[in-house]
Amino acid sequence: MDDLMICDDPRKAGCFFVLLLAGICPSVFAVDTGAEPASRLQETVVVTANREPGRWYDAAAAVDVVAVSEQMPGFRFDSAELLAGLPGVQADSRANFAQDTRITLRGFGARSAFGVRGINLRIDGVPLTMPDGQSQTSSIALGAIDRVEVLRGPMASLYGNAAGGTIAFYSVRPEESELTATLAGGDAKQRRYQLQGQWAGERAGARVLLSQFSTDGFRDHSSAERNQLAGQWYYQTESEVDLLARVDISRDPETLDPQGLTYQQWQEDDTQVHPEAALFNPRKSIAHAQASLGARQQTSWGSWQATGWMGEREIEQYLSFPGDDENGSGAVIDLQREFGGANFRVARQLATLELSAGVELGQMRDRRKGFVNVRGEPGALKRDEVGEVQSRDVYTALLWQPDPRWTLQGGARYNTVAFDVNDYFIRGGNPDDSGSLEFSEPSLALGGSYGDGPWRLFASVGSGFETPTLTEMAYRNEGTGLNNDLQPSHNRQAEFGWRIEARELSASIAGFVVRSRDELVVDQSAGGRTTYRNGAKTEREGLEGQLSWQLASQWQWRLGGTLMSAEYSAGPYAGLRLPGVARENLYSQLAWQADAVPLQLTLATQYRGDVASSDDNSEIVPGALTWDLAARSEHSLGRSLIALWFKVSNLTDKKYAGSVIVNQSRGRTIEPAPGRQLDVGVSVRYRW
């Protein structure tokens, strides 16, 4: 079957993508442009610069939206399932449930050893990103998400610290009262049980979701379990104030970590684990809870919105080394985090001009302890400290639409992020490592769009920054205490693009340039512990595009892709590639809907180019072209609807690396992807 695939030569893949987009353009201008965009697109909102929802194709920024129903069916356990095909996004599934999906957006987030860095995440307008810039997607109940919006480029910097891009997850207010039970299973003993109930009233609506996922993992020592509860309550008062309350609870009782493999180990047997996994039993357990309440109102003079949130997160993690040296911090992490924040924004409408201003406050408090790892059991205490982070941001934005063809927008944000650590483990040769740091930085952006009818041109420029996270500052290569040598990285960005929305087709293409200094990069990674440093200057240049085309009544084609060069531009690695970032990410999804029977077939093709695993580019992990095939069918029985799905992932059983661990000091850089997998699911929905 490999003989039938596109050649793995990145240059050929790149040429294929450019020629494909070039071929789209003539077809675009041949489309009937007198038609209005589909109503689904009319209702789509844009997450730009804290402005009120609007039609995304008017924005002076690269924004893409995908409904979850457009994605292939699946377990909805991995956030990569919801991000497939979105341009600018590289979502690498680790097949290691002890670590989050590795998400990179135009190269931002490439340094992440776990969780998400450099990207602002939100759910229903509530930040998932902590004040210091760290995020996790594991707490999101993906089964309750309706759509995903991705904002890239300069306008994203108006979200403040670590906003190299913004990914927003949205649920939707229930329109019908119903109860849905879902059961899914597949290879590696993957199992998902889900029960969702929702109620729709005249002014109110509510939804509750209960979900459990478990798997033995396709590698040894990689079993996982996740239990989730998500609830939303929607209400509109008589004065038309919209309220939304959310509760999200997630429990991962014990998730085993199979660790990365060396290139040779991966070639020999991609299901094996390193012997240290048997010796130190690396694993993680997580308990997460978050609650929020938001309100907003449109008035004759403008609008206002306010949101508050709070939560806690507990983590116990065992790393694959003892951590018992004199100034070590242990290798069993006991972390208790409390966090919260609030956002208030007001906008004034003056004819064609909208002025807005707001304030966002956030705080987090980490109580961190470290113990020696004695063959998988906690030993002597080696670390005991409390770290606090506070952020205080003020922002303003301007939106001017002098006529329907022109949109001009810009904004500024002033961010203050303060770190404070109190050390309670002071004994022997271990000194007092207490310390504090404060960073104050501006973020700026300016852009505009122009168009007549269904097409628009857009361009923007801006600057942003990213502080190191509290976790990244927690370790040094030598000695103990807060790594206060780390400083914020700064970036300047520019982009230019074109988009079109018509009856049967939407398409866009954008070029971008990013220049960064003091880029935060991985210094060393060993046994699950990672240290960081400020790298030299970097530069990223790229081209990205998307297409959604109703080819015929039965055929729908969706395409997304990114071509990007990401390199160090100064310092000892000048001219070398930024590790963890692929030059090519291409995605194609072709769907066929039968006329006579309720059946839909979907074929997805994804190509990710090769990736450097270290700063010196001494190892290049090869890219891969993979295929997925799925079938869906729905059947009505009175008030009930039965939905069935069937999916074969990695259809050709391709052996490839799902993700890489950047700068892994022992060479265990590769996190293998599963081979061919067969999954099936059924759901029964009852409406009243």
Side-chain angles (χ1 to χ4, degrees), residues 357-486:
V359 58
E360 184 166 292
L361 307 174
Q363 64 177 8
M364 57 179 281
R365 182 181 187 272
D366 283 4
R367 181 62 187 259
R368 180 187 295 269
K369 293 184 178 181
F371 302 86
V372 174
N373 186 341
V374 184
R375 295 182 177 271
E377 297 295 332
L381 179 68
K382 297 291 290 182
R383 186 171 195 163
D384 186 1
E385 67 185 30
V386 174
E388 297 183 349
V389 183
Q390 292 187 342
S391 64
R392 303 181 299 276
D393 298 358
V394 293
Y395 56 87
T396 184
L398 178 148
L399 175 68
W400 183 34
Q401 292 181 303
D403 66 56
R405 294 173 299 173
W406 284 97
T407 298
L408 299 175
Q409 61 187 112
R413 188 173 184 129
Y414 190 75
N415 317 260
T416 300
V417 185
F419 296 80
D420 185 71
V421 175
N422 292 306
D423 187 5
Y424 297 100
F425 187 76
I426 307 168
R427 63 187 69 175
N430 195 308
D432 185 350
D433 295 317
S434 301
S436 61
L437 287 170
E438 183 172 298
F439 305 115
S440 296
E441 303 285 349
S443 302
L444 306 168
L446 177 66
S449 69
Y450 172 83
D452 190 7
W455 63 269
R456 294 195 79 85
L457 297 171
F458 62 91
S460 61
V461 294
S463 62
F465 77 102
E466 180 180 1
T467 69
T469 69
L470 186 61
T471 300
E472 291 169 349
M473 299 173 73
Y475 301 107
R476 298 170 174 266
N477 291 334
E478 302 292 339
T480 61
L482 197 67
N483 186 0
N484 52 20
D485 292 333
L486 288 177

Side-chain angles (χ1 to χ4, degrees), residues 501-571:
E501 288 293 323
R503 182 190 299 274
E504 297 175 343
L505 182 145
S506 70
S508 67
I509 188 168
F512 61 89
V513 177
V514 181
R515 299 285 187 266
S516 297
R517 58 182 173 87
D518 296 326
E519 182 102 21
L520 290 159
V521 296
V522 173
D523 192 3
Q524 294 182 16
S525 180
R529 173 177 293 171
T530 306
T531 58
Y532 299 85
R533 62 179 174 83
N534 287 104
K537 296 179 180 179
T538 65
E539 58 182 29
R540 285 164 257 164
E541 300 173 348
L543 179 71
E544 60 191 22
Q546 66 83 25
L547 166 77
S548 181
W549 196 352
Q550 189 71 42
L551 298 170
S553 61
Q554 295 177 270
W555 294 91
Q556 173 74 31
W557 186 32
R558 188 163 69 89
L559 171 73
T562 306
L563 304 176
M564 180 169 60
S565 170
E567 298 180 345
Y568 289 104
S569 57

